C-alpha cells in the first residue's frame, strides 16, 4: 500500500468512522475532540497526503454548520418519569447580599475551631448562625458560630500557641452525628464526608458519600436522622449545591457526572454530560443580577433564578450550562497556553459577569462572559506558592480571596494592572496546608477557611479558622 493510500485510509476512518478493531488515536490519548480541534485536525491531516476524494470529504466536513462535540457517555439511568428542573419554575430564595462600595477589607483571624481530622466540606446557613463541617473522620459536626464570635469558649494558652496572636476564641461545637452509609448487606457504615450543603434556614442538609450516594438529613427537628439516599453516582460525590429556589440540588462526582435532582420527588431531573474527569466545583450564576428594575409600562419582570450553571473538573475543564436548553452543548472556556490541566475551584463575580478559575501553576484565570473562550487576564501568584485550591469573591466585587498551599491572599482586582503596588495582601492564619473551603457570609462581615485535600492530592494541617472582616475605604 502506498503512503498516499495509507494516509487517505487513516483520514477517512478518523473523520467518518471505521472498523471497531482499527486503531483509534483519540482513544489512545484519552482525549475527546471539541469542534475547533476536530476541524483543525481534519485540515492538518488532509495536508499530509491529500487526494481528490479525501479533499472533497474534508471540505464538506468543514462546511457543516457545527460539529457535535465528542463527549463521554454517562452510565446513569434516568428516572421515568423524570424529575423537574425546579430552578426554572420557582422564585429563588431572597438574599441579603451586601454590595459594599468599600475599596478593600481588613481580614483578621480571631477564631479557631479545634479539629483533629481533614475537613473536606463546610457549609453554613444564610446568616452563618450554624456552621456544618465534614471530613475524613465520618462525622457531620454542627458549630454554634454566634457563641464562638462572642467568645463563649476562649482558647487555652496551649491551644493558642499553634496559631497567630489574634486567634483567641475557641469554636463552640453544638452537636454532631455519624455520617452513615448503607453497604451492600444493608448495614450502616461510616463514610467520609466529601461534600455538603445546607438549606438556608437549617431545615435539612445534603451530604456526599464515598459510595456515590447522597444523603438527605434532618437538622432542625430530630437532628441527624437520615431521610433518604439518592443513589445514581458510582463514585464519591465531590460537590453538592442546593439550587437557588431550594427545591433541587446539583451533584458532581468522581464518575464525571453532573446531576440535577428534584427534591420534591427524589427523582433525577437531568444529567449533564461533558466532563472528562472528576467534578471539582459547581456554582450557580448569581441570580440577583438577572432581575432588573420594573417599569410600570412594561411586562412584569421575570424573577426566577438564573438558569446558568458553572462546572469545573479536576482536569481543568470549565463548562457553562444553560439549563433552559436540554440538549444544547455547554460553552467551554479554554486553558491558556503552558497551563497544566488542573482546577479544583471556581467562583463567580458578584455581578455574574466574570468567572475565576484556580490553576495548579500558581495562577487564577479570569473569564468574561460574552468575550470568547480565552481568559481576559491571568492573576499570577508568587513562585512556589502552590496550587490554587479555593476561591471566594467579597461583597465589593473587587476583592478576590485566593487560597494556595503557602498562604491565603486577597487580590485587589482594580489594581492588578498597576505595577507600582502589590495587587494582593496576605491574610494571616494558614500556612503549609491545602485549603478545601472558603466561606464568606452574605454581609461580608465574617469568613471561614478549612483545611483538607477533598480526597485528592495535598497535605492538611487540620486547621479550621474564623475571621472577622472590616470594610476599609
Amino acid at each position: 500500500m502506498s503512503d498516499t493510500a495509507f494516509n487517505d485510509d487513516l483520514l477517512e476512518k478518523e473523520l467518518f468512522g471505521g472498523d471497531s478493531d482499527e486503531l483509534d488515536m483519540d482513544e489512545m490519548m484519552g482525549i475527546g475532540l471539541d469542534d475547533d480541534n476536530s476541524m483543525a485536525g481534519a485540515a492538518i491531516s488532509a495536508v499530509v497526503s491529500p487526494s481528490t476524494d479525501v479533499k472533497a470529504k474534508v471540505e464538506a466536513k468543514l462546511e457543516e454548520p457545527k460539529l457535535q462535540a465528542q463527549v463521554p457517555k454517562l452510565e446513569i439511568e434516568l428516572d421515568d418519569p423524570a424529575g423537574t428542573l425546579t430552578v426554572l419554575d420557582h422564585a429563588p430564595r431572597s438574599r441579603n447580599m451586601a454590595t459594599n462600595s468599600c475599596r478593600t477589607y481588613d481580614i483578621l483571624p480571631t477564631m479557631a475551631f479545634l479539629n483533629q481530622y481533614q475537613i473536606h466540606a463546610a457549609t453554613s446557613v444564610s446568616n452563618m448562625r450554624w456552621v456544618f463541617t465534614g471530613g475524613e473522620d465520618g462525622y457531620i459536626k454542627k458549630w454554634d458560630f454566634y457563641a464562638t464570635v462572642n467568645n463563649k469558649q476562649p482558647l487555652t494558652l496551649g491551644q493558642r500557641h499553634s496559631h497567630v496572636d489574634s486567634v483567641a476564641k475557641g469554636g463552640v461545637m453544638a452537636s454532631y452525628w455519624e455520617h452513615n452509609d448503607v453497604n451492600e448487606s444493608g448495614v450502616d457504615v461510616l463514610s467520609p464526608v466529601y461534600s455538603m450543603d445546607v438549606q438556608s434556614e437549617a431545615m435539612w442538609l445534603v451530604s456526599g458519600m464515598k459510595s456515590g450516594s447522597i444523603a438527605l438529613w434532618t437538622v432542625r427537628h430530630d437532628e441527624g436522622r437520615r431521610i433518604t439516599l439518592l443513589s445514581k453516582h458510582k463514585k464519591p460525590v465531590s460537590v453538592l449545591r442546593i439550587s437557588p429556589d431550594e427545591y433541587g440540588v446539583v451533584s458532581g462526582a468522581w464518575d464525571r457526572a453532573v446531576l440535577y435532582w428534584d427534591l420534591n420527588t427524589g427523582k433525577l431531573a437531568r444529567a449533564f454530560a461533558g466532563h472528562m474527569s472528576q467534578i471539582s466545583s459547581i456554582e450557580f450564576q448569581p441570580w440577583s443580577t438577572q432581575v432588573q428594575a420594573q417599569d410600570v409600562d412594561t411586562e412584569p419582570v421575570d424573577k426566577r433564578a438564573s438558569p446558568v450553571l458553572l462546572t469545573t473538573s479536576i482536569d481543568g475543564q470549565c463548562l457553562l450550562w444553560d439549563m433552559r436548553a436540554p440538549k444544547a452543548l455547554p460553552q467551554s472556556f479554554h486553558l491558556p497556553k503552558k497551563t497544566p490541566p488542573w482546577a479544583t475551584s471556581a467562583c463567580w463575580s458578584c455581578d455574574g459577569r466574570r468567572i475565576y478559575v484556580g490553576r495548579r501553576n500558581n495562577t487564577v484565570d479570569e473569564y468574561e462572559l460574552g468575550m470568547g473562550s480565552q481568559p481576559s487576564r491571568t492573576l499570577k501568584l508568587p513562585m512556589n506558592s502552590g496550587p490554587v485550591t479555593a476561591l471566594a469573591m467579597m461583597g465589593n466585587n473587587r476583592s478576590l480571596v485566593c487560597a494556595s498551599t503557602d498562604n491565603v491572599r486577597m487580590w485587589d482586582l482594580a489594581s492588578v494592572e498597576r505595577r507600582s503596588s502589590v495587587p494582593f495582601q496576605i491574610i494571616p492564619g494558614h500556612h503549609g496546608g491545602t485549603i478545601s473551603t472558603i466561606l464568606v457570609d452574605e454581609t461580608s462581615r465574617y469568613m471561614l477557611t478549612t483545611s483538607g485535600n477533598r480526597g485528592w492530592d495535598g497535605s492538611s494541617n487540620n486547621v479550621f479558622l474564623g475571621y472577622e472582616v472590616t470594610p476599609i475605604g
Side-chain angles (χ1 to χ4, degrees), residues 160-230:
R160 295 182 58 181
H161 181 71
S162 58
H163 301 285
V164 295
D165 293 341
S166 59
V167 177
K169 303 174 182 179
V172 178
M173 183 185 297
S175 61
Y176 65 92
W177 66 86
E178 296 178 342
H179 189 240
N180 284 329
D181 194 2
V182 179
N183 62 14
E184 297 178 354
S185 303
V187 180
D188 284 353
V189 292
L190 276 181
S191 170
V193 185
Y194 282 96
S195 54
M196 185 191 306
D197 204 2
V198 67
Q199 194 261 352
S200 59
E201 298 179 355
M203 299 296 294
W204 45 268
L205 178 146
V206 287
S207 64
M209 298 185 171
K210 186 175 182 179
S211 65
S213 298
I214 301 169
L216 180 62
W217 307 88
T218 58
V219 177
R220 180 172 293 186
H221 306 288
D222 194 11
E223 182 179 89
R225 179 172 65 87
R226 189 179 64 213
I227 302 173
T228 187
L229 286 174
L230 306 176

Side-chain angles (χ1 to χ4, degrees), residues 402-417:
C402 168
S404 53
T405 303
D406 62 340
N407 283 303
V408 179
R409 295 173 172 83
M410 182 175 64
W411 286 78
D412 183 1
L413 299 177
S415 64
V416 171
E417 306 300 333

